[in-house]
Short mmCIF file of all heavy atoms in Angstrom, two decimals:
data_model
loop_
_atom_site.label_atom_id
_atom_site.label_comp_id
_atom_site.label_asym_id
_atom_site.label_seq_id
_atom_site.Cartn_x
_atom_site.Cartn_y
_atom_site.Cartn_z
N ARG B 104 123.17 78.77 103.60
CA ARG B 104 122.51 77.72 102.87
C ARG B 104 121.09 78.21 102.36
O ARG B 104 120.70 78.02 101.24
CB ARG B 104 122.37 76.53 103.59
CG ARG B 104 123.72 75.65 103.74
CD ARG B 104 123.56 74.41 104.43
NE ARG B 104 124.85 74.11 105.15
CZ ARG B 104 124.92 74.15 106.53
NH1 ARG B 104 123.96 74.39 107.27
NH2 ARG B 104 126.21 73.96 107.11
N VAL B 105 120.49 78.92 103.24
CA VAL B 105 119.08 79.54 102.90
C VAL B 105 119.30 80.45 101.71
O VAL B 105 118.42 80.43 100.79
CB VAL B 105 118.55 80.24 104.13
CG1 VAL B 105 117.25 81.05 103.70
CG2 VAL B 105 118.12 79.30 105.10
N TRP B 106 120.36 81.35 101.79
CA TRP B 106 120.57 82.22 100.70
C TRP B 106 120.90 81.52 99.37
O TRP B 106 120.49 81.93 98.40
CB TRP B 106 121.71 83.21 101.08
CG TRP B 106 121.20 84.54 101.45
CD1 TRP B 106 121.01 84.96 102.73
CD2 TRP B 106 120.82 85.51 100.49
NE1 TRP B 106 120.48 86.23 102.60
CE2 TRP B 106 120.42 86.67 101.26
CE3 TRP B 106 120.76 85.68 99.06
CZ2 TRP B 106 119.91 87.87 100.77
CZ3 TRP B 106 120.32 86.88 98.59
CH2 TRP B 106 119.96 87.95 99.39
N ALA B 107 121.61 80.41 99.49
CA ALA B 107 121.93 79.65 98.30
C ALA B 107 120.58 79.16 97.66
O ALA B 107 120.49 79.34 96.36
CB ALA B 107 122.79 78.41 98.64
N ALA B 108 119.70 78.74 98.39
CA ALA B 108 118.43 78.21 97.91
C ALA B 108 117.64 79.40 97.21
O ALA B 108 117.06 79.22 96.15
CB ALA B 108 117.59 77.58 98.97
N ARG B 109 117.70 80.49 97.92
CA ARG B 109 117.07 81.73 97.48
C ARG B 109 117.67 82.16 96.08
O ARG B 109 116.89 82.48 95.12
CB ARG B 109 117.21 82.78 98.48
CG ARG B 109 116.41 83.91 98.46
CD ARG B 109 116.72 84.85 99.69
NE ARG B 109 116.12 84.53 100.91
CZ ARG B 109 116.38 85.11 102.12
NH1 ARG B 109 117.25 86.11 102.14
NH2 ARG B 109 115.70 84.73 103.21
N LEU B 110 118.99 82.12 96.06
CA LEU B 110 119.62 82.56 94.77
C LEU B 110 119.23 81.61 93.64
O LEU B 110 119.13 82.11 92.49
CB LEU B 110 121.12 82.66 94.99
CG LEU B 110 121.58 83.87 95.80
CD1 LEU B 110 123.06 83.66 96.18
CD2 LEU B 110 121.43 85.14 94.96
N ALA B 111 119.19 80.33 93.91
CA ALA B 111 118.88 79.37 92.88
C ALA B 111 117.43 79.64 92.35
O ALA B 111 117.20 79.57 91.14
CB ALA B 111 119.02 77.98 93.46
N ALA B 112 116.53 79.91 93.20
CA ALA B 112 115.17 80.23 92.79
C ALA B 112 115.12 81.50 92.07
O ALA B 112 114.44 81.55 90.99
CB ALA B 112 114.27 80.39 94.03
N MET B 113 115.88 82.60 92.41
CA MET B 113 115.94 83.84 91.70
C MET B 113 116.47 83.59 90.29
O MET B 113 116.03 84.19 89.36
CB MET B 113 116.73 84.82 92.50
CG MET B 113 116.08 85.30 93.70
SD MET B 113 116.74 86.75 94.36
CE MET B 113 118.10 86.08 95.22
N ARG B 114 117.50 82.77 90.24
CA ARG B 114 118.14 82.42 88.98
C ARG B 114 117.08 81.88 87.98
O ARG B 114 116.91 82.25 86.81
CB ARG B 114 119.29 81.47 89.15
CG ARG B 114 120.31 81.52 88.04
CD ARG B 114 120.67 80.14 87.58
NE ARG B 114 120.33 79.89 86.27
CZ ARG B 114 121.12 79.98 85.18
NH1 ARG B 114 122.49 80.25 85.37
NH2 ARG B 114 120.67 79.79 83.95
N ALA B 115 116.33 81.04 88.46
CA ALA B 115 115.23 80.31 87.64
C ALA B 115 114.26 81.47 87.25
O ALA B 115 113.77 81.43 86.01
CB ALA B 115 114.47 79.30 88.41
N ASP B 116 113.92 82.33 88.10
CA ASP B 116 112.95 83.36 87.77
C ASP B 116 113.53 84.34 86.68
O ASP B 116 112.78 84.73 85.76
CB ASP B 116 112.47 84.11 89.11
CG ASP B 116 111.56 83.33 89.91
OD1 ASP B 116 111.00 82.33 89.42
OD2 ASP B 116 111.43 83.75 91.12
N ILE B 117 114.82 84.65 86.83
CA ILE B 117 115.42 85.51 85.81
C ILE B 117 115.40 84.87 84.47
O ILE B 117 115.05 85.39 83.41
CB ILE B 117 116.84 85.82 86.25
CG1 ILE B 117 116.87 86.74 87.49
CG2 ILE B 117 117.64 86.49 85.13
CD1 ILE B 117 118.23 87.05 88.00
N ASP B 118 115.73 83.56 84.48
CA ASP B 118 115.69 82.85 83.18
C ASP B 118 114.32 82.88 82.59
O ASP B 118 114.24 83.20 81.40
CB ASP B 118 115.97 81.32 83.53
CG ASP B 118 117.50 81.00 83.50
OD1 ASP B 118 118.24 81.95 83.11
OD2 ASP B 118 117.81 79.96 84.02
#
Side-chain angles (χ1 to χ4, degrees):
Chain B
R104 282 181 214 112
V105 169
W106 257 97
R109 200 178 272 176
L110 284 168
M113 288 195 280
R114 204 223 116 101
D116 286 343
I117 290 176
D118 276 346

